[in-house]
Amino acid sequence: MNTMFNPKKFHKSQIKFHLILIPLSLFMSLPIIYIVNDAFKPFTELFHYPPRFFVRKPTLENFRLLYTFSSESGIPMSRYLFNSIFVAIIVVVLTVFISTISAFALSKFKFKGHKVLFKINTYALMFVPIAVSIPRYLILTRLGIFNTYFAHIIPMLAMPVGLFLVKQFMDQVPDELLEAAVMDGASNWQIYAKIMFPLTKSAIVTVAFLAFQQSWMSTEASNIFVDVEALRTLPFYLSTLSQQTGNIVAARGISAAGWLIMFLPNLFIFVFLQSRVMESMANSGIK
Protein backbone atom coordinates (compact mmCIF):
# COMPACT_ATOMS: atom_id res chain seq x y z
CA MET A 1 0.00 0.00 0.00
CA ASN A 2 2.81 2.41 0.88
CA THR A 3 4.56 1.67 -2.43
CA MET A 4 1.39 2.55 -4.32
CA PHE A 5 1.12 6.02 -2.79
CA ASN A 6 4.85 6.73 -2.46
CA PRO A 7 6.78 4.79 -5.12
CA LYS A 8 10.57 4.77 -4.84
CA LYS A 9 10.94 5.52 -8.57
CA PHE A 10 9.00 7.75 -10.91
CA HIS A 11 5.56 6.39 -11.72
CA LYS A 12 3.04 7.69 -14.22
CA SER A 13 0.58 8.20 -11.38
CA GLN A 14 2.80 11.04 -10.16
CA ILE A 15 2.33 13.11 -13.32
CA LYS A 16 -0.83 14.79 -11.99
CA PHE A 17 1.12 16.00 -8.94
CA HIS A 18 3.96 17.35 -11.09
CA LEU A 19 1.47 19.24 -13.28
CA ILE A 20 0.31 21.11 -10.19
CA LEU A 21 3.49 21.41 -8.13
CA ILE A 22 5.95 22.48 -10.85
CA PRO A 23 3.98 25.59 -11.96
CA LEU A 24 3.28 26.39 -8.30
CA SER A 25 7.00 26.11 -7.45
CA LEU A 26 7.93 28.38 -10.35
CA PHE A 27 5.36 30.93 -9.22
CA MET A 28 6.61 30.83 -5.62
CA SER A 29 10.21 31.32 -6.78
CA LEU A 30 9.43 34.56 -8.64
CA PRO A 31 10.18 36.86 -5.63
CA ILE A 32 13.59 35.19 -5.21
CA ILE A 33 14.39 35.62 -8.89
CA TYR A 34 13.30 39.25 -8.74
CA ILE A 35 15.47 40.02 -5.69
CA VAL A 36 18.54 38.57 -7.41
CA ASN A 37 17.91 40.37 -10.69
CA ASP A 38 17.11 43.66 -8.98
CA ALA A 39 20.48 43.78 -7.22
CA PHE A 40 22.38 43.55 -10.52
CA LYS A 41 20.34 46.08 -12.48
CA PRO A 42 22.09 49.26 -13.64
CA PHE A 43 20.52 52.60 -12.76
CA THR A 44 18.69 52.90 -16.09
CA GLU A 45 16.97 49.51 -15.65
CA LEU A 46 15.96 50.11 -12.03
CA PHE A 47 13.60 52.91 -13.11
CA HIS A 48 12.70 51.61 -16.54
CA TYR A 49 9.02 51.86 -17.51
CA PRO A 50 7.37 49.48 -17.88
CA PRO A 51 9.39 47.71 -15.17
CA ARG A 52 11.59 44.83 -16.25
CA PHE A 53 11.54 41.63 -14.27
CA PHE A 54 14.87 40.30 -15.58
CA VAL A 55 18.07 42.29 -15.78
CA ARG A 56 19.32 42.98 -19.31
CA LYS A 57 22.82 44.30 -18.61
CA PRO A 58 23.95 42.96 -15.20
CA THR A 59 26.46 45.05 -13.27
CA LEU A 60 28.24 45.02 -9.89
CA GLU A 61 27.98 48.81 -9.60
CA ASN A 62 25.31 48.64 -6.88
CA PHE A 63 27.57 46.55 -4.65
CA ARG A 64 30.51 48.91 -5.25
CA LEU A 65 28.36 51.92 -4.36
CA LEU A 66 27.12 50.16 -1.23
CA TYR A 67 30.67 49.57 -0.01
CA THR A 68 31.86 53.06 -0.99
CA PHE A 69 28.95 54.90 0.62
CA SER A 70 29.18 52.97 3.88
CA SER A 71 32.92 53.68 4.10
CA GLU A 72 32.37 57.40 3.51
CA SER A 73 29.66 57.54 6.18
CA GLY A 74 32.22 56.74 8.92
CA ILE A 75 31.31 53.15 9.75
CA PRO A 76 32.25 50.60 7.04
CA MET A 77 29.65 48.06 5.95
CA SER A 78 31.97 45.29 7.12
CA ARG A 79 31.40 46.50 10.69
CA TYR A 80 27.62 46.21 10.37
CA LEU A 81 28.04 42.81 8.74
CA PHE A 82 30.36 41.61 11.52
CA ASN A 83 27.87 42.73 14.17
CA SER A 84 25.06 40.83 12.45
CA ILE A 85 27.11 37.63 12.07
CA PHE A 86 28.47 37.77 15.62
CA VAL A 87 25.05 38.38 17.19
CA ALA A 88 23.38 35.71 15.03
CA ILE A 89 25.92 33.02 15.97
CA ILE A 90 25.68 33.73 19.71
CA VAL A 91 21.88 33.86 19.57
CA VAL A 92 21.64 30.54 17.69
CA VAL A 93 23.97 28.70 20.09
CA LEU A 94 22.36 30.03 23.27
CA THR A 95 18.80 29.69 21.98
CA VAL A 96 19.35 26.04 21.04
CA PHE A 97 20.86 25.30 24.45
CA ILE A 98 18.15 27.12 26.43
CA SER A 99 15.31 25.63 24.36
CA THR A 100 16.61 22.05 24.56
CA ILE A 101 17.57 22.05 28.23
CA SER A 102 14.24 23.66 29.18
CA ALA A 103 12.28 21.25 27.00
CA PHE A 104 14.14 18.31 28.58
CA ALA A 105 13.19 19.50 32.07
CA LEU A 106 9.55 20.16 31.19
CA SER A 107 9.16 16.91 29.28
CA LYS A 108 10.90 14.36 31.52
CA PHE A 109 10.94 15.87 35.02
CA LYS A 110 7.54 16.00 36.69
CA PHE A 111 8.35 18.71 39.23
CA LYS A 112 5.75 20.93 40.85
CA GLY A 113 4.59 23.67 38.52
CA HIS A 114 5.98 22.22 35.28
CA LYS A 115 2.54 22.30 33.63
CA VAL A 116 2.05 25.93 34.63
CA LEU A 117 5.43 26.89 33.18
CA PHE A 118 4.64 25.20 29.89
CA LYS A 119 1.27 26.97 29.74
CA ILE A 120 3.02 30.31 30.30
CA ASN A 121 5.36 29.48 27.41
CA THR A 122 2.36 28.59 25.23
CA TYR A 123 0.60 31.86 26.10
CA ALA A 124 3.80 33.72 25.22
CA LEU A 125 3.33 32.60 21.60
CA MET A 126 0.53 35.16 21.33
CA PHE A 127 2.79 38.17 21.95
CA VAL A 128 4.62 39.82 19.06
CA PRO A 129 7.99 41.51 19.82
CA ILE A 130 6.61 45.03 19.39
CA ALA A 131 4.10 44.40 22.20
CA VAL A 132 6.89 43.87 24.74
CA SER A 133 9.34 46.51 23.52
CA ILE A 134 8.77 48.85 26.48
CA PRO A 135 9.23 46.13 29.16
CA ARG A 136 12.34 44.94 27.32
CA TYR A 137 13.73 48.49 27.27
CA LEU A 138 13.16 48.94 30.99
CA ILE A 139 14.71 45.57 31.85
CA LEU A 140 17.79 46.10 29.67
CA THR A 141 18.32 49.58 31.09
CA ARG A 142 18.15 48.32 34.68
CA LEU A 143 20.51 45.45 33.84
CA GLY A 144 23.03 47.99 32.61
CA ILE A 145 23.49 46.41 29.18
CA PHE A 146 22.11 49.28 27.11
CA ASN A 147 24.49 50.06 24.21
CA THR A 148 26.25 46.67 24.37
CA TYR A 149 26.13 43.48 22.32
CA PHE A 150 24.06 41.96 25.11
CA ALA A 151 21.24 44.34 24.14
CA HIS A 152 21.08 42.51 20.80
CA ILE A 153 21.44 39.03 22.28
CA ILE A 154 19.40 38.87 25.52
CA PRO A 155 15.95 39.76 24.04
CA MET A 156 16.37 37.04 21.39
CA LEU A 157 17.08 34.16 23.76
CA ALA A 158 13.49 33.64 24.92
CA MET A 159 11.97 31.71 22.02
CA PRO A 160 8.60 30.18 23.01
CA VAL A 161 8.09 28.45 19.67
CA GLY A 162 11.48 26.77 20.00
CA LEU A 163 10.73 25.41 23.46
CA PHE A 164 7.29 24.22 22.34
CA LEU A 165 8.67 22.46 19.26
CA VAL A 166 11.52 20.67 21.03
CA LYS A 167 9.28 19.58 23.92
CA GLN A 168 6.83 18.00 21.47
CA PHE A 169 9.69 15.90 20.11
CA MET A 170 11.07 14.98 23.52
CA ASP A 171 7.61 13.84 24.65
CA GLN A 172 7.85 11.13 22.01
CA VAL A 173 11.05 9.65 23.50
CA PRO A 174 10.02 6.62 25.66
CA ASP A 175 10.58 7.06 29.39
CA GLU A 176 11.83 3.46 29.49
CA LEU A 177 14.86 4.51 27.45
CA LEU A 178 15.78 7.10 30.06
CA GLU A 179 15.16 4.68 32.91
CA ALA A 180 17.52 2.19 31.30
CA ALA A 181 20.18 4.90 30.99
CA VAL A 182 19.77 5.77 34.68
CA MET A 183 20.19 2.11 35.61
CA ASP A 184 23.43 2.08 33.61
CA GLY A 185 24.68 4.97 35.73
CA ALA A 186 24.06 7.87 33.34
CA SER A 187 23.59 11.32 34.87
CA ASN A 188 20.95 13.81 33.75
CA TRP A 189 23.54 15.74 31.75
CA GLN A 190 24.67 12.55 30.00
CA ILE A 191 21.06 11.63 29.19
CA TYR A 192 20.51 15.12 27.79
CA ALA A 193 23.70 15.14 25.71
CA LYS A 194 23.84 11.53 24.51
CA ILE A 195 20.15 10.57 24.22
CA MET A 196 17.74 13.49 24.09
CA PHE A 197 19.86 15.85 22.01
CA PRO A 198 20.64 13.35 19.20
CA LEU A 199 17.06 12.05 19.08
CA THR A 200 15.61 15.53 18.54
CA LYS A 201 18.02 16.74 15.86
CA SER A 202 15.25 17.68 13.43
CA ALA A 203 13.57 19.95 15.96
CA ILE A 204 16.91 21.43 17.03
CA VAL A 205 17.84 22.23 13.43
CA THR A 206 14.49 23.98 12.99
CA VAL A 207 14.97 25.99 16.18
CA ALA A 208 18.47 26.97 15.05
CA PHE A 209 17.13 28.11 11.68
CA LEU A 210 14.29 30.12 13.23
CA ALA A 211 16.67 31.70 15.75
CA PHE A 212 19.10 32.67 13.00
CA GLN A 213 16.36 34.11 10.83
CA GLN A 214 14.91 36.11 13.72
CA SER A 215 18.28 37.50 14.77
CA TRP A 216 19.64 38.09 11.27
CA MET A 217 16.68 40.21 10.13
CA SER A 218 15.96 42.05 13.38
CA THR A 219 16.26 45.83 13.66
CA GLU A 220 14.59 46.17 17.07
CA ALA A 221 17.76 46.31 19.18
CA SER A 222 19.52 48.75 16.83
CA ASN A 223 16.46 51.01 16.84
CA ILE A 224 15.62 50.95 20.55
CA PHE A 225 18.39 49.46 22.70
CA VAL A 226 21.55 50.73 20.97
CA ASP A 227 22.61 54.32 20.28
CA VAL A 228 26.23 53.62 19.32
CA GLU A 229 26.45 53.37 15.53
CA ALA A 230 29.39 50.93 15.63
CA LEU A 231 27.23 48.41 17.53
CA ARG A 232 24.31 48.44 15.13
CA THR A 233 23.57 45.65 12.65
CA LEU A 234 23.30 45.44 8.87
CA PRO A 235 19.46 45.34 8.65
CA PHE A 236 19.25 48.64 10.54
CA TYR A 237 21.85 50.22 8.25
CA LEU A 238 19.98 49.10 5.13
CA SER A 239 16.67 50.39 6.49
CA THR A 240 18.17 53.88 6.88
CA LEU A 241 19.99 54.11 3.54
CA SER A 242 17.49 56.46 1.90
CA GLN A 243 17.67 58.80 4.90
CA GLN A 244 21.47 58.81 4.92
CA THR A 245 21.84 59.42 1.19
CA GLY A 246 19.09 62.03 1.20
CA ASN A 247 18.02 60.70 -2.18
CA ILE A 248 15.57 57.81 -2.45
CA VAL A 249 16.35 57.39 -6.16
CA ALA A 250 20.10 57.09 -5.59
CA ALA A 251 19.61 54.64 -2.73
CA ARG A 252 17.41 52.32 -4.82
CA GLY A 253 20.25 50.28 -6.31
CA ILE A 254 22.31 50.32 -3.10
CA SER A 255 19.35 49.01 -1.12
CA ALA A 256 18.72 46.26 -3.68
CA ALA A 257 22.32 45.06 -3.36
CA GLY A 258 22.25 45.23 0.43
CA TRP A 259 19.01 43.30 0.80
CA LEU A 260 20.34 40.58 -1.50
CA ILE A 261 23.29 40.18 0.87
CA MET A 262 20.82 39.90 3.75
CA PHE A 263 18.62 37.40 1.92
CA LEU A 264 21.23 34.93 0.65
CA PRO A 265 22.22 33.40 4.05
CA ASN A 266 18.57 32.63 4.83
CA LEU A 267 18.13 31.02 1.41
CA PHE A 268 21.28 28.88 1.58
CA ILE A 269 20.64 27.72 5.14
CA PHE A 270 17.05 26.75 4.36
CA VAL A 271 18.05 24.88 1.18
CA PHE A 272 20.59 22.77 3.07
CA LEU A 273 18.38 22.19 6.11
CA GLN A 274 14.93 21.99 4.49
CA SER A 275 14.55 18.22 4.98
CA ARG A 276 15.11 18.56 8.73
CA VAL A 277 12.82 21.58 8.97
CA MET A 278 10.01 19.86 7.07
CA GLU A 279 10.42 16.72 9.17
CA SER A 280 10.13 18.64 12.43
CA MET A 281 7.06 20.53 11.25
CA ALA A 282 5.38 17.28 10.18
CA ASN A 283 6.10 15.49 13.46
CA SER A 284 5.73 18.33 15.98
CA GLY A 285 2.11 17.49 16.76
CA ILE A 286 2.51 13.70 16.90
CA LYS A 287 2.61 12.19 20.37
Side-chain angles (χ1 to χ4, degrees), residues 127-142 146 151 155-156 218-226:
F127 295 94
V128 294
I130 193 65
V132 293
S133 295
I134 295 177
R136 282 180 175 178
Y137 176 84
L138 296 175
I139 292 172
L140 293 178
T141 303
R142 293 188 178 184
F146 193 82
M156 294 287 180
S218 175
T219 61
E220 180 187 31
S222 296
N223 273 318
I224 305 174
F225 311 136
V226 174

Short mmCIF file of all heavy atoms in Angstrom, two decimals, residues 127-142 146 151 155-156 218-226:
data_model
loop_
_atom_site.label_atom_id
_atom_site.label_comp_id
_atom_site.label_asym_id
_atom_site.label_seq_id
_atom_site.Cartn_x
_atom_site.Cartn_y
_atom_site.Cartn_z
N PHE A 127 2.24 36.82 21.90
CA PHE A 127 2.79 38.17 21.95
C PHE A 127 3.82 38.39 20.85
O PHE A 127 4.77 37.62 20.71
CB PHE A 127 3.43 38.43 23.31
CG PHE A 127 2.46 38.44 24.46
CD1 PHE A 127 2.22 37.29 25.20
CD2 PHE A 127 1.77 39.59 24.79
CE1 PHE A 127 1.34 37.28 26.26
CE2 PHE A 127 0.86 39.59 25.84
CZ PHE A 127 0.65 38.45 26.57
N VAL A 128 3.64 39.43 20.07
CA VAL A 128 4.62 39.82 19.06
C VAL A 128 5.69 40.69 19.73
O VAL A 128 5.41 41.33 20.76
CB VAL A 128 3.94 40.58 17.90
CG1 VAL A 128 2.98 39.67 17.16
CG2 VAL A 128 3.20 41.81 18.43
N PRO A 129 6.91 40.74 19.18
CA PRO A 129 7.99 41.51 19.82
C PRO A 129 7.65 42.97 20.11
O PRO A 129 8.02 43.51 21.15
CB PRO A 129 9.13 41.40 18.80
CG PRO A 129 8.87 40.11 18.09
CD PRO A 129 7.38 39.99 18.01
N ILE A 130 6.91 43.61 19.20
CA ILE A 130 6.61 45.03 19.39
C ILE A 130 5.75 45.26 20.63
O ILE A 130 5.79 46.34 21.24
CB ILE A 130 5.89 45.59 18.13
CG1 ILE A 130 5.85 47.11 18.17
CG2 ILE A 130 4.52 44.98 17.99
CD1 ILE A 130 7.17 47.78 18.09
N ALA A 131 4.99 44.25 21.04
CA ALA A 131 4.10 44.40 22.20
C ALA A 131 4.86 44.42 23.51
O ALA A 131 4.33 44.89 24.53
CB ALA A 131 3.07 43.27 22.22
N VAL A 132 6.09 43.92 23.50
CA VAL A 132 6.89 43.87 24.74
C VAL A 132 8.14 44.73 24.63
O VAL A 132 9.09 44.56 25.41
CB VAL A 132 7.28 42.41 25.07
CG1 VAL A 132 6.05 41.60 25.43
CG2 VAL A 132 8.03 41.75 23.91
N SER A 133 8.16 45.66 23.71
CA SER A 133 9.34 46.51 23.52
C SER A 133 9.63 47.39 24.74
O SER A 133 10.78 47.54 25.15
CB SER A 133 9.16 47.39 22.28
OG SER A 133 9.11 46.62 21.11
N ILE A 134 8.58 47.97 25.32
CA ILE A 134 8.77 48.85 26.48
C ILE A 134 9.28 48.06 27.69
O ILE A 134 10.25 48.47 28.33
CB ILE A 134 7.47 49.61 26.80
CG1 ILE A 134 7.14 50.57 25.66
CG2 ILE A 134 7.62 50.37 28.12
CD1 ILE A 134 5.84 51.32 25.84
N PRO A 135 8.66 46.92 28.05
CA PRO A 135 9.23 46.13 29.16
C PRO A 135 10.67 45.70 28.89
O PRO A 135 11.50 45.71 29.81
CB PRO A 135 8.29 44.92 29.23
CG PRO A 135 7.01 45.39 28.67
CD PRO A 135 7.39 46.36 27.59
N ARG A 136 10.97 45.32 27.66
CA ARG A 136 12.34 44.94 27.32
C ARG A 136 13.30 46.11 27.54
O ARG A 136 14.39 45.94 28.08
CB ARG A 136 12.42 44.47 25.87
CG ARG A 136 11.93 43.06 25.63
CD ARG A 136 12.06 42.70 24.18
NE ARG A 136 11.71 41.31 23.93
CZ ARG A 136 11.71 40.75 22.73
NH1 ARG A 136 12.03 41.46 21.66
NH2 ARG A 136 11.39 39.48 22.59
N TYR A 137 12.89 47.30 27.11
CA TYR A 137 13.73 48.49 27.27
C TYR A 137 14.02 48.76 28.74
O TYR A 137 15.17 49.02 29.13
CB TYR A 137 13.05 49.70 26.63
CG TYR A 137 13.80 50.99 26.80
CD1 TYR A 137 14.84 51.33 25.94
CD2 TYR A 137 13.49 51.86 27.85
CE1 TYR A 137 15.54 52.52 26.11
CE2 TYR A 137 14.18 53.04 28.02
CZ TYR A 137 15.21 53.37 27.14
OH TYR A 137 15.91 54.52 27.32
N LEU A 138 12.99 48.68 29.57
CA LEU A 138 13.16 48.94 30.99
C LEU A 138 14.06 47.90 31.65
O LEU A 138 14.91 48.23 32.48
CB LEU A 138 11.78 48.95 31.68
CG LEU A 138 10.82 50.07 31.24
CD1 LEU A 138 9.47 49.89 31.91
CD2 LEU A 138 11.41 51.44 31.56
N ILE A 139 13.89 46.64 31.26
CA ILE A 139 14.71 45.57 31.85
C ILE A 139 16.17 45.72 31.44
O ILE A 139 17.08 45.63 32.28
CB ILE A 139 14.17 44.19 31.42
CG1 ILE A 139 12.80 43.94 32.07
CG2 ILE A 139 15.14 43.08 31.82
CD1 ILE A 139 12.11 42.69 31.56
N LEU A 140 16.42 45.96 30.15
CA LEU A 140 17.79 46.10 29.67
C LEU A 140 18.48 47.30 30.29
O LEU A 140 19.68 47.26 30.59
CB LEU A 140 17.80 46.20 28.15
CG LEU A 140 17.37 44.96 27.37
CD1 LEU A 140 17.38 45.23 25.87
CD2 LEU A 140 18.28 43.79 27.69
N THR A 141 17.74 48.38 30.47
CA THR A 141 18.32 49.58 31.09
C THR A 141 18.72 49.31 32.54
O THR A 141 19.80 49.70 32.98
CB THR A 141 17.32 50.74 31.04
OG1 THR A 141 16.94 50.99 29.68
CG2 THR A 141 17.92 52.00 31.62
N ARG A 142 17.85 48.62 33.28
CA ARG A 142 18.15 48.32 34.68
C ARG A 142 19.27 47.29 34.82
O ARG A 142 19.99 47.28 35.81
CB ARG A 142 16.89 47.82 35.38
CG ARG A 142 15.83 48.91 35.52
CD ARG A 142 14.66 48.47 36.38
NE ARG A 142 13.67 49.55 36.52
CZ ARG A 142 12.59 49.47 37.28
NH1 ARG A 142 12.35 48.36 37.97
NH2 ARG A 142 11.75 50.49 37.37
N PHE A 146 22.48 48.40 28.21
CA PHE A 146 22.11 49.28 27.11
C PHE A 146 23.39 49.69 26.37
O PHE A 146 24.43 49.94 26.97
CB PHE A 146 21.40 50.52 27.67
CG PHE A 146 20.70 51.35 26.63
CD1 PHE A 146 19.44 50.99 26.17
CD2 PHE A 146 21.30 52.48 26.12
CE1 PHE A 146 18.80 51.76 25.22
CE2 PHE A 146 20.67 53.26 25.17
CZ PHE A 146 19.41 52.90 24.71
N ALA A 151 22.55 43.77 24.46
CA ALA A 151 21.24 44.34 24.14
C ALA A 151 20.66 43.70 22.87
O ALA A 151 19.44 43.64 22.70
CB ALA A 151 21.36 45.85 23.95
N PRO A 155 17.38 39.84 24.40
CA PRO A 155 15.95 39.76 24.04
C PRO A 155 15.61 38.62 23.08
O PRO A 155 14.45 38.23 22.98
CB PRO A 155 15.70 41.12 23.36
CG PRO A 155 16.76 42.02 23.89
CD PRO A 155 17.96 41.14 24.05
N MET A 156 16.61 38.09 22.37
CA MET A 156 16.37 37.04 21.39
C MET A 156 16.38 35.64 21.99
O MET A 156 15.95 34.68 21.33
CB MET A 156 17.43 37.11 20.29
CG MET A 156 17.37 38.35 19.45
SD MET A 156 15.97 38.34 18.32
CE MET A 156 16.20 39.91 17.50
N SER A 218 16.52 41.15 12.38
CA SER A 218 15.96 42.05 13.38
C SER A 218 16.61 43.43 13.37
O SER A 218 17.83 43.55 13.26
CB SER A 218 16.12 41.42 14.78
OG SER A 218 15.68 42.32 15.78
N THR A 219 15.77 44.46 13.51
CA THR A 219 16.26 45.83 13.66
C THR A 219 15.85 46.43 15.00
O THR A 219 16.15 47.60 15.27
CB THR A 219 15.71 46.72 12.53
OG1 THR A 219 14.27 46.72 12.59
CG2 THR A 219 16.14 46.21 11.16
N GLU A 220 15.15 45.65 15.82
CA GLU A 220 14.59 46.17 17.07
C GLU A 220 15.68 46.71 18.00
O GLU A 220 15.59 47.84 18.50
CB GLU A 220 13.80 45.08 17.80
CG GLU A 220 13.19 45.56 19.11
CD GLU A 220 12.55 44.43 19.91
OE1 GLU A 220 13.04 43.29 19.81
OE2 GLU A 220 11.59 44.70 20.64
N ALA A 221 16.72 45.90 18.24
CA ALA A 221 17.76 46.31 19.18
C ALA A 221 18.50 47.56 18.68
O ALA A 221 18.78 48.48 19.44
CB ALA A 221 18.75 45.17 19.40
N SER A 222 18.81 47.60 17.39
CA SER A 222 19.52 48.75 16.83
C SER A 222 18.68 50.01 16.86
O SER A 222 19.20 51.12 16.95
CB SER A 222 19.95 48.45 15.39
OG SER A 222 20.89 47.39 15.35
N ASN A 223 17.36 49.86 16.80
CA ASN A 223 16.46 51.01 16.84
C ASN A 223 16.21 51.52 18.25
O ASN A 223 16.12 52.73 18.47
CB ASN A 223 15.11 50.63 16.21
CG ASN A 223 15.09 50.83 14.71
OD1 ASN A 223 15.60 51.82 14.21
ND2 ASN A 223 14.51 49.88 14.00
N ILE A 224 16.10 50.59 19.22
CA ILE A 224 15.62 50.95 20.55
C ILE A 224 16.69 50.83 21.63
O ILE A 224 16.79 51.70 22.50
CB ILE A 224 14.41 50.07 20.94
CG1 ILE A 224 13.31 50.17 19.88
CG2 ILE A 224 13.85 50.46 22.30
CD1 ILE A 224 12.14 49.23 20.10
N PHE A 225 17.50 49.77 21.59
CA PHE A 225 18.39 49.46 22.70
C PHE A 225 19.84 49.88 22.48
O PHE A 225 20.66 49.75 23.38
CB PHE A 225 18.37 47.94 22.98
CG PHE A 225 16.98 47.37 23.10
CD1 PHE A 225 16.66 46.17 22.50
CD2 PHE A 225 15.99 48.04 23.81
CE1 PHE A 225 15.38 45.64 22.59
CE2 PHE A 225 14.72 47.52 23.92
CZ PHE A 225 14.41 46.32 23.30
N VAL A 226 20.17 50.37 21.28
CA VAL A 226 21.55 50.73 20.97
C VAL A 226 21.58 52.10 20.31
O VAL A 226 20.86 52.35 19.33
CB VAL A 226 22.20 49.68 20.03
CG1 VAL A 226 23.59 50.14 19.60
CG2 VAL A 226 22.28 48.32 20.72
#
